[in-house]
Amino acid sequence: MSSVDLKAVRAKLRTLSGSQQSIETLSLYFIHKKAQAKNFAAIWFEEIMAVPPDRKLCLLYLANDVLQRGRYCTSRCNTGVHQ
């Protein structure tokens, strides 16, 4: 992943609002680019350690949404393959 993409991800995390739409949009972006999951997780961790406590909640909501949607997509895809 290029440094430009990493900078874009950092910018997206820094401008994340607490709205459901903002969290879902970034969550779907992360799921779509799942090949870069390790890079995204590292950037997310750096950001959560650097932001004030009120911003940490938004980042935790994002992590939860990624996990929940990823689990749903995986179970749905696996069910379709085994039928």
Side-chain angles (χ1 to χ4, degrees):
M1 181 176 239
S2 71
S3 62
V4 175
D5 292 335
L6 296 178
K7 288 179 184 179
V9 170
R10 279 189 198 283
K12 288 175 191 266
L13 287 171
R14 289 180 180 160
T15 60
L16 180 69
S17 73
S19 73
Q20 183 177 354
Q21 182 179 6
S22 177
I23 290 169
E24 286 178 356
T25 300
L26 192 51
S27 175
L28 291 171
Y29 174 80
F30 283 173
I31 291 169
H32 179 70
K33 305 278 189 177
K34 66 183 174 186
Q36 299 299 327
K38 279 189 174 186
N39 293 330
F40 291 160
I43 293 169
W44 176 88
F45 183 75
E46 289 171 10
E47 288 299 313
I48 203 165
M49 297 306 286
V51 298
D54 60 324
R55 294 278 305 140
K56 288 182 189 216
L57 188 57
C58 290
L59 293 172
L60 288 173
Y61 285 152
L62 173 64
N64 181 59
D65 199 69
V66 170
L67 291 171
Q68 294 294 326
R69 287 180 189 277
R71 185 176 67 176
Y72 172 75
C73 291
T74 301
S75 67
R76 192 178 75 188
C77 292
N78 287 341
T79 303
V81 170
H82 295 303
Q83 288 180 352

